[in-house]
Amino acid sequence: MSLIPDNLFGIHTRALDLWQNRTEVLANNLANADTPGFQARDIDFRKVLAAASDSAGTAGNVALQAPTPGQIGAGSTTAAATQLSWRNPMQPSMDGNTVDEQVEQAAFAANGVHYQASLSFITAQIRMLRTAITDGQG
Amino acid sequence: MSLFSIFNVAGSGMAAQSTRLNTVASNLANADSVASTPEAAYRSREPLFAAVQKQFGSQAVDNGQGVQVLGVTESQAAIPSRYEPGNPLANADGYVFSSNVNPVDELVNMISASRSYQNNVEVMNSTRQLMQKTLDLGK
């Protein structure tokens, strides 16, 4: 993501990053659907995206650097990791597992569509740029 | 920190569920096994799942690393005994000891395991499609 200048594709690259993170979290929930005591997690997309675009997106803000290993940076990924929240189970089970397979599946499907939406926005942006570069001939 | 790690997560889920299917198969196959002592009788087996925790101090984002099988436990339910003096495995009193497998439990386990396995396959398929779409970006 960092190779692409952020102002070229706007917020969509960040959104893509977050959808991808969320896919990972949901996949982990589904993999642990039968693990006793496992608590399902999710990302509050709106909150994390707002935080991500606040911390690094606006001009004039200097992001924290983490030059030595072990130091905690203030990148958008750290923000996403710390803002994982626990899912409220609809039907808590006796073994303490809070994964609701149907809910997770629905969230996973919706998440995939959102991811593709972000991709289409970026694709449209690329087409627009290509039209500009090739003077409408390409 | 990429869609690739989802393959590991879903793969770990599939591996765990197939371990579970394996124990179910073993339990059902041995449902009617008998032995001459309660200690030698077959006990119903079940895997123990646990979420994989991230390594301490690692820089990776903790979105979860999948599931692991900690081990296989044996059921502590009572071993039933039957009076079968004609059985070659019968002890001096004429008793044989059968397994404590409950076939109904095993069938339920089997359905649950195969559904969870399918869930993980779907996750993998969807992720693969998303990656394919990402590769086609800008076309």
Side-chain angles (χ1 to χ4, degrees):
Chain A
M1 292 298 154
S2 56
L3 290 177
I4 307 165
D6 283 335
N7 52 0
L8 203 57
F9 298 120
I11 203 163
H12 298 303
T13 50
R14 278 179 212 291
L16 205 61
D17 217 13
L18 278 181
W19 291 129
Q20 181 185 298
N21 258 318
R22 186 157 182 251
T23 316
E24 222 172 295
V25 174
L26 294 177
N28 190 52
N29 287 348
L30 278 168
N32 281 292
D34 294 314
T35 308
F38 180 81
Q39 298 187 317
R41 298 179 301 178
D42 201 355
I43 291 177
D44 186 344
F45 183 78
R46 191 181 294 270
K47 214 190 283 176
V48 178
L49 189 65
S53 40
D54 275 356
S55 67
T58 48
N61 275 0
V62 182
L64 269 181
Q65 297 292 313
T68 51
Q71 222 172 328
I72 298 171
S76 60
T77 52
T78 327
T82 50
Q83 299 214 15
L84 280 179
S85 43
W86 310 104
R87 168 104 62 220
N88 270 335
M90 281 179 164
Q91 304 176 64
S93 60
M94 276 173 73
D95 63 358
N97 184 302
T98 62
V99 179
D100 225 328
E101 281 187 48
Q102 286 72 31
V103 175
E104 300 299 334
Q105 259 186 338
F108 191 85
N111 191 65
V113 174
H114 283 305
Y115 184 89
Q116 293 187 36
S118 285
L119 276 183
S120 341
F121 281 125
I122 295 178
T123 308
Q125 203 81 13
I126 291 175
R127 277 214 195 101
M128 199 171 79
L129 289 172
R130 187 180 288 159
T131 309
I133 292 168
T134 57
D135 199 15
Q137 308 297 313
Chain B
M1 191 19 227
S2 79
L3 285 176
F4 272 115
S5 66
I6 295 178
F7 285 99
N8 292 335
V9 171
S12 75
M14 284 158 73
Q17 298 300 340
S18 77
T19 308
R20 192 169 164 207
L21 275 175
N22 243 319
T23 57
V24 168
S26 164
N27 291 346
L28 282 177
N30 281 296
D32 291 324
S33 300
V34 291
S36 36
T37 60
E39 289 75 35
Y42 182 85
R43 287 177 180 275
S44 174
R45 280 156 207 202
E46 201 170 343
L48 184 61
F49 292 168
V52 180
Q53 302 294 333
K54 134 181 135 144
Q55 296 270 309
F56 180 74
S58 90
Q59 287 283 308
V61 181
D62 186 20
N63 284 343
Q65 323 279 311
V67 62
Q68 61 181 337
V69 179
L70 281 185
V72 177
T73 58
E74 288 194 337
S75 161
Q76 295 305 307
I79 298 285
S81 58
R82 281 202 307 270
Y83 184 61
E84 271 183 27
N87 196 313
L89 281 175
N91 64 6
D93 299 329
Y95 282 95
V96 290
F97 299 89
S98 58
S99 70
N100 62 357
V101 174
N102 182 346
V104 178
D105 278 359
E106 298 307 325
L107 286 177
V108 170
N109 236 333
M110 182 177 74
I111 294 170
S112 171
S114 77
R115 289 285 176 270
S116 298
Y117 190 93
Q118 287 170 24
N119 258 341
N120 281 305
V121 172
E122 281 306 313
V123 166
M124 216 177 239
N125 268 336
S126 311
T127 309
R128 194 175 51 77
Q129 279 171 11
L130 288 183
M131 289 177 83
Q132 194 63 48
K133 289 251 161 82
T134 314
L135 284 177
D136 289 342
L137 192 65
K139 277 188 186 162

